[in-house]
Amino acid sequence: MWGAATASYQIEGAAYEDGKGENIWDVFCREEGRIADGSSGDIACDHYHRYPEDVAIMSEIGLRAYRFSTSWGRIMPDGVGAINTKGLDFYSQLVDELLDKGVTPYITLFHWDLPQALHLKGGWMNPDIQNWFAEYAAVVSEKLGDRVKHWFTQNEPQVFIGHGYCTGAKAPGLRYGLSDVLQAIHHSLLAHGRSVQAIRAGCPDGLVGAAPTGTVAFPENETEADIAAARKATFYVPGRGPNNPGGTNSWSVSQEPTWNISWYTDPLFLGNYPEQGLMAFGSDVPKYTEEDMQLIHQPLDFCGINLYSGWQVRAADNAFGWEEVPMPQGSPLTAFKWPVTPEILYWGPRFFSERYGKPIYITENGMSSNDWVDAEGRIGDYARIDFVRAYLRQYKRAAEEGYPLDGYFLWSLLDNFEWPEGYRERFGIVHVDYTTQKRTLKESAKWYGEICQSNGESL
Ligand code: BGC
């Protein structure tokens, strides 16, 4: 399956319309100094009003699938209880429009815009959030489950907890200590489990997964030792202490204790926290029961993962068994200064499918670039074409070697509100002029459409 992805707060706008409840990003953006360009998602791409045009654009490009998120507070203004029919109807109409144009809808239930009312009750720190999230998942899947068959529960707990509750860089901007942060993660995992049950009830023939993120380590050389080192480093959980193997690449696991993969995904797919992570976090690990782990460990149909950038390692004779290999000076970077590391689209699917035995969806991948409309009215984002082609060739290699790949979603369909960066980073394959809301296909959109239509043959 080939598609593109977006998220509600980043594109919808209509922040205070038709009964939508306030969410933590509405509030965060109003706080002085939080967003680099002082902007907000109040209007964003105005997709709430322009969705027919946007779906027509998807069809013009040739996308087969579209991954979008529903806004919890637009559907349930207080997070629980009363349903805002207008909000729910918006998504229902969007789904109809997609199906009408032959684009398969994929829903993410939570892409960071937590209702403010729930934040005031403690948000992810409150153990009741599993009930709140299950209630919301039931409402959405009961309404849309007759037409939507693919579901992701949460997008990137590494970010909405790691940056929302630990570094404070993202809404709600908290800086809690490690034990509280691990508690919040545990609640998010429980909420995931409960929402899977709710989706299965609301949409019995649906397929369900999650969309976490992480940075895959890839081997310097394809020797058995380096491959084993990369596998180990990919799933490594840094603790809080001086025992983190340092790295020069800000994408390596060493930057934050919450920035890792397996603490979030092992519970989902294996029913336990990783042994090495339990050791690393020690007494900060929250108390949990066997029943908790069973609830978290719901059967899932696929393993979704958002992959942007990775880091290179080799086998080493140290306590970790691996060490980071710094990227050569002057290595390619995106506009955001993220390293360009196509290898992760081979090694990621390989390592994840080996460890969890599930088909893989790349739920996000893409890059920001400083795009503008040229004098001829074109947007020549050739760097993006080169980036996506290089990543997809690696993805193709994984497919050819038999690793199970179910789909790829390019981030993003439209230029949009890039969280604390505001509108300064453009990730879209469709350019948005935020003054006029005019959409223009970038060259990458035309190129990617052919990939979608040829099922990757034209790579
Ligand atoms: C998120 C998107 C974000 C993108 C680029 C992912 O972490 O899911 O919402 O825009 O990366 O930063």
Side-chain angles (χ1 to χ4, degrees), residues 49-112:
H49 298 114
R50 292 167 197 264
Y51 72 89
E53 180 190 349
D54 291 338
V55 176
I57 288 173
M58 295 178 214
S59 147
E60 184 190 343
I61 297 174
L63 299 183
R64 298 284 180 81
Y66 175 51
R67 171 178 174 248
F68 63 98
S69 77
T70 47
S71 157
W72 190 342
R74 192 180 293 289
I75 294 174
M76 301 169 87
D78 298 320
V80 286
I83 295 168
N84 175 31
T85 319
K86 281 190 176 167
L88 198 49
D89 285 350
F90 163 70
Y91 296 109
S92 186
Q93 288 153 10
L94 170 61
V95 165
D96 285 344
E97 193 79 24
L98 288 164
L99 292 173
D100 188 52
K101 293 275 187 315
V103 180
T104 305
Y106 281 67
I107 286 186
T108 307
L109 285 173
F110 183 71
H111 198 127
W112 309 355

Side-chain angles (χ1 to χ4, degrees), residues 381-395:
D381 58 337
Y382 301 107
R384 178 173 289 107
I385 293 176
D386 194 59
F387 176 103
V388 177
R389 182 171 40 217
Y391 276 67
L392 284 180
R393 283 183 176 160
Q394 296 282 336
Y395 179 78

Side-chain angles (χ1 to χ4, degrees), residues 155-159 211-215 251 259-261 264-265 304-308 352:
N155 184 75
E156 302 187 351
Q158 285 90 345
V159 176
T213 189
T215 47
W251 283 86
W259 187 249
N260 74 80
I261 295 174
Y264 304 83
T265 46
I305 180 92
N306 295 351
L307 292 180
Y308 287 89
F352 285 105

